[in-house]
Coordinates of all heavy atoms in Angstrom, one line a residue:
D1 N -33.1 52.1 -1.3 CA -34.4 51.7 -1.0 C -34.3 50.4 -0.3 O -33.5 49.5 -0.7 CB -35.3 51.6 -2.3 CG -36.7 51.3 -1.9 OD1 -37.5 52.2 -1.5 OD2 -37.1 50.1 -2.1
Y2 N -35.1 50.1 0.7 CA -35.0 48.9 1.4 C -35.3 47.6 0.5 O -34.9 46.5 0.8 CB -36.0 48.8 2.6 CG -35.5 49.7 3.7 CD1 -36.3 50.8 4.2 CD2 -34.2 49.5 4.3 CE1 -35.8 51.6 5.2 CE2 -33.8 50.4 5.3 CZ -34.6 51.4 5.7 OH -34.2 52.3 6.7
E3 N -36.0 47.8 -0.6 CA -36.3 46.7 -1.5 C -35.3 46.7 -2.7 O -35.4 45.8 -3.6 CB -37.7 46.9 -2.0 CG -38.8 47.0 -1.0 CD -38.8 45.9 0.0 OE1 -38.7 44.7 -0.5 OE2 -39.0 46.1 1.2
D4 N -34.3 47.6 -2.7 CA -33.4 47.7 -3.8 C -32.6 46.4 -3.9 O -32.1 45.9 -2.9 CB -32.4 48.8 -3.6 CG -31.4 49.0 -4.7 OD1 -30.6 48.1 -5.0 OD2 -31.5 50.1 -5.3
E5 N -32.6 45.8 -5.1 CA -32.0 44.5 -5.3 C -30.6 44.4 -5.0 O -30.0 43.5 -4.3 CB -32.3 44.1 -6.8 CG -32.0 42.6 -7.0 CD -32.4 42.2 -8.4 OE1 -33.5 42.6 -8.9 OE2 -31.6 41.5 -9.0
K6 N -29.8 45.5 -5.4 CA -28.4 45.5 -5.1 C -28.1 45.6 -3.6 O -27.2 44.9 -3.1 CB -27.7 46.7 -5.8 CG -27.6 46.6 -7.3 CD -26.8 47.7 -7.9 CE -27.6 49.0 -7.8 NZ -26.9 50.1 -8.5
F7 N -28.9 46.4 -2.9 CA -28.7 46.6 -1.5 C -29.0 45.3 -0.8 O -28.3 44.9 0.1 CB -29.7 47.7 -1.0 CG -29.6 48.0 0.5 CD1 -28.4 48.5 1.0 CD2 -30.7 47.8 1.3 CE1 -28.4 48.8 2.4 CE2 -30.7 48.1 2.6 CZ -29.5 48.6 3.2
V8 N -30.2 44.7 -1.1 CA -30.5 43.4 -0.4 C -29.5 42.3 -0.7 O -29.1 41.6 0.2 CB -32.0 43.0 -0.9 CG1 -32.3 41.6 -0.4 CG2 -33.0 44.0 -0.4
T9 N -29.0 42.3 -1.9 CA -28.0 41.3 -2.3 C -26.7 41.5 -1.5 O -26.1 40.6 -1.0 CB -27.7 41.3 -3.8 OG1 -28.9 41.1 -4.5 CG2 -26.6 40.3 -4.2
L10 N -26.3 42.8 -1.4 CA -25.1 43.1 -0.6 C -25.2 42.6 0.8 O -24.3 42.0 1.4 CB -24.9 44.6 -0.7 CG -23.7 45.2 0.1 CD1 -22.4 44.7 -0.4 CD2 -23.8 46.7 0.2
I11 N -26.3 42.9 1.4 CA -26.6 42.5 2.8 C -26.6 41.0 3.0 O -26.0 40.4 3.9 CB -27.8 43.2 3.4 CG1 -27.6 44.7 3.6 CG2 -28.2 42.6 4.7 CD1 -28.8 45.4 4.0
E12 N -27.2 40.3 2.0 CA -27.3 38.8 2.1 C -25.9 38.3 1.9 O -25.5 37.3 2.6 CB -28.2 38.3 1.0 CG -29.6 38.6 1.3 CD -30.5 38.2 0.0 OE1 -30.0 37.9 -1.1 OE2 -31.8 38.3 0.2
L13 N -25.0 38.8 1.0 CA -23.7 38.3 0.9 C -22.9 38.5 2.1 O -22.2 37.6 2.6 CB -23.0 39.0 -0.3 CG -23.5 38.7 -1.7 CD1 -22.9 39.7 -2.7 CD2 -23.2 37.3 -2.0
L14 N -23.0 39.7 2.8 CA -22.3 39.9 4.0 C -22.7 39.1 5.2 O -21.9 38.6 6.0 CB -22.3 41.4 4.3 CG -21.7 42.4 3.3 CD1 -22.0 43.8 3.7 CD2 -20.2 42.1 3.2
E15 N -24.0 38.8 5.2 CA -24.6 38.0 6.3 C -24.1 36.5 6.1 O -23.8 35.8 7.0 CB -26.1 38.1 6.4 CG -26.5 39.4 7.0 CD -28.1 39.5 7.1 OE1 -28.8 38.7 6.4 OE2 -28.5 40.4 7.8
E16 N -24.1 36.1 4.8 CA -23.7 34.7 4.5 C -22.2 34.5 4.9 O -21.8 33.6 5.5 CB -23.9 34.4 3.1 CG -23.5 33.0 2.7 CD -23.8 32.6 1.3 OE1 -24.1 33.5 0.5 OE2 -23.6 31.4 0.9
N17 N -21.4 35.5 4.6 CA -20.0 35.5 4.9 C -19.8 35.5 6.4 O -18.9 34.8 7.0 CB -19.2 36.6 4.3 CG -18.7 36.4 2.9 OD1 -19.1 35.3 2.3 ND2 -18.0 37.3 2.3
N18 N -20.6 36.2 7.1 CA -20.6 36.2 8.6 C -20.8 34.8 9.2 O -20.1 34.4 10.1 CB -21.6 37.2 9.1 CG -21.2 37.7 10.5 OD1 -20.1 37.6 10.9 ND2 -22.2 38.2 11.2
K19 N -21.7 34.1 8.6 CA -22.0 32.7 9.0 C -20.9 31.8 8.6 O -20.5 30.9 9.4 CB -23.4 32.2 8.5 CG -24.6 32.9 9.0 CD -25.8 32.5 8.4 CE -27.0 33.4 8.9 NZ -28.2 33.2 8.1
L20 N -20.4 32.0 7.4 CA -19.3 31.1 6.9 C -18.0 31.2 7.7 O -17.1 30.3 7.6 CB -19.1 31.4 5.4 CG -20.2 30.9 4.4 CD1 -19.9 31.4 3.0 CD2 -20.4 29.4 4.5
Q21 N -17.8 32.3 8.3 CA -16.6 32.6 9.1 C -16.4 31.6 10.2 O -15.3 31.3 10.7 CB -16.5 34.0 9.6 CG -16.2 35.0 8.6 CD -16.2 36.4 9.2 OE1 -16.6 36.7 10.3 NE2 -15.6 37.4 8.4
N22 N -17.4 31.0 10.7 CA -17.4 30.0 11.8 C -16.9 28.7 11.3 O -16.6 27.8 12.1 CB -18.7 29.9 12.5 CG -19.1 31.2 13.1 OD1 -18.2 32.0 13.6 ND2 -20.4 31.5 13.2
S23 N -16.9 28.4 10.0 CA -16.5 27.1 9.5 C -15.0 26.8 9.8 O -14.1 27.7 9.7 CB -16.7 27.1 8.0 OG -16.0 26.0 7.4
I24 N -14.7 25.6 10.0 CA -13.3 25.2 10.3 C -12.5 25.4 9.0 O -11.3 25.8 9.1 CB -13.2 23.7 10.8 CG1 -11.8 23.4 11.2 CG2 -13.6 22.8 9.8 CD1 -11.3 24.1 12.4
Y25 N -13.1 25.2 7.8 CA -12.4 25.4 6.6 C -12.0 26.9 6.4 O -10.9 27.2 5.9 CB -13.3 25.0 5.4 CG -13.5 23.5 5.3 CD1 -14.7 23.0 5.7 CD2 -12.5 22.7 4.8 CE1 -14.9 21.6 5.7 CE2 -12.8 21.3 4.7 CZ -13.9 20.8 5.1 OH -14.1 19.4 5.0
T26 N -12.9 27.8 6.8 CA -12.6 29.2 6.7 C -11.5 29.6 7.6 O -10.6 30.4 7.3 CB -13.8 30.0 6.9 OG1 -14.8 29.6 6.0 CG2 -13.6 31.5 6.7
Q27 N -11.5 29.0 8.8 CA -10.5 29.3 9.8 C -9.1 28.8 9.3 O -8.1 29.4 9.5 CB -10.9 28.8 11.2 CG -12.0 29.5 11.7 CD -12.6 28.9 13.0 OE1 -11.9 28.1 13.6 NE2 -13.8 29.3 13.4
L28 N -9.1 27.6 8.7 CA -7.9 27.0 8.2 C -7.4 27.9 7.0 O -6.2 28.1 6.8 CB -8.1 25.6 7.7 CG -8.2 24.5 8.8 CD1 -8.6 23.2 8.2 CD2 -6.8 24.4 9.5
Y29 N -8.3 28.4 6.2 CA -7.9 29.3 5.1 C -7.2 30.5 5.6 O -6.3 31.0 4.9 CB -9.2 29.7 4.3 CG -8.9 30.6 3.1 CD1 -8.4 30.1 2.0 CD2 -9.1 32.0 3.2 CE1 -8.1 30.9 0.9 CE2 -8.8 32.8 2.1 CZ -8.3 32.3 1.0 OH -8.0 33.1 -0.1
N30 N -7.6 31.0 6.8 CA -6.8 32.2 7.3 C -5.4 31.8 7.6 O -4.5 32.7 7.6 CB -7.5 32.7 8.5 CG -8.8 33.4 8.2 OD1 -9.0 34.0 7.1 ND2 -9.8 33.3 9.1

């Protein structure tokens, strides 16, 4: 369901990671 808490949380986590990938720290971590 579009309002399902697990589903919304999953998408939020993935979107946050997508933004964090641009950080120099994340690139150094790689």
